Amino acid sequence: MAASKPRPETVAIHAGSEPDATTGAVVPPIHLSTTFERDADGSYPRGFVYTRSDNPNRRALEAVLAALQGGAAAAAFASGSAAASAVLRALPRGAHVLLPREIYHGIRKLVDGALAGPELRVDYVDMTDIAALEAAWREETALVWVETPSNPLLSITDLSPVCGLAHARGARVAVDATWTPPGVADPIALGADVVVHATTKYLSGHSDVLGGAVVTARADEVWERIIFLQRNEGAVPGPFDCWLAHRGLRTLPYRMRGHAANAEAVASFLAGHEAVARVHYPGLASHPGHAVAKRQMTSYGGMLSFRLRGGEAAAMAAAARTRLFTRATSLGGVESLIEHRASIEGPGSGTPADLLRLSVGLEHPDDLVADLAQALAG
Ligand SMILES: *Cc1c(COP(=O)(O)O)cnc(C)c1O
């Protein structure tokens, strides 16, 4: 019988995970050593030299990330922001990048505060509008950055035409897929050249490790520059962080099903609530990006936001009353979080003040809905 291609649930558990050759340990040991022995002839027959360049735990994590994302290779970073920074700085000097206006605010802060300048020209466009993207195009545009659904309004960008336009003009497409981990969407199949993740979020999944990753569709010369930055700057996760992220990944496909099912239950409850003016969740038929999301996502993910009829005061009051949803930033952990996004984004944030963002966790959906019901009842 011909072996079938392993499915994501199987890949998540087996990729990068062989029993330890020396001890037989089924769970990989953590290799804290920063340096590795060479043979008398000067060679490194086991393939490791120094942990900044490579480490067994990082290599295992990268193997499972590449396999799950359907890429040629992966590089792990110390944070999602470090991963994004490496992708942008790997571009040739003077390159122009088009980024979405609705971009994760931390990446915008990093780009505007440190990366943009004569070496990297940037423009922000409405990425959901292909005509706007075309109008902003320049001769030296080398990269288009996509985040779909966007944070925190969950706007949907149709990836295929964006990739079609970029590739026809010799540019590349990077997708920040932090909100759409493997099992929720497949940006590489839709044409993305590189996929960026904050592994801090769903991939690790337990709110206990900071990390990032870049997965590439092809091991080409741009990829070589990303790897050069990773290995020579050393903005890399330590062995224990790699081990934690790898452990989290083993349950990713199952966790994502739970997050999506719970988010759908919460979104439909909120959509029918009189105190709620609007729910931003691509799984709702009323969402303007629903048709595109239906086509390019496998599920609608675990993130949503909603706006209160009573304005900012009502939003703050509701967030103050939840018991299961913890008031905290970040997302993608097993526990549900609620956040008044405009507050964390600070001055200059374009996020409506009456908006609350939810990272819907893996508690029972009825308990989550009951918690929101009591918080909204006031
Ligand atoms: C959190 C996040 C990042 C940044 O990741 P860090 O690990 O916090 O640096 C990037 N993009 C998105 C969409 C995120 O949610």
Side-chain angles (χ1 to χ4, degrees), residues 313-377:
M316 296 307 263
R321 281 191 293 260
T322 53
R323 295 177 194 137
L324 289 177
F325 284 84
T326 301
R327 285 180 309 282
T329 194
S330 200
L331 60 111
V334 296
E335 66 290 317
S336 291
L337 302 178
I338 187 164
E339 182 177 37
H340 184 249
R341 204 57 205 161
S343 302
I344 186 118
E345 292 178 354
S349 157
T351 298
D354 59 1
L355 178 141
L356 292 172
R357 189 185 81 176
L358 301 180
S359 172
V360 181
L362 297 179
E363 301 91 341
H364 195 284
D366 296 351
D367 294 335
L368 295 177
V369 165
D371 188 35
L372 290 169
Q374 67 77 24
L376 290 170

Side-chain angles (χ1 to χ4, degrees), residues 79-82 104 107 147 151 176 178-179 198 200-201 210-212 331:
S79 69
S81 303
Y104 166 66
I107 303 284
E147 197 183 315
N151 179 359
D176 180 342
T178 299
W179 284 29
T200 312
K201 316 291 174 52
L210 192 77
L331 60 111

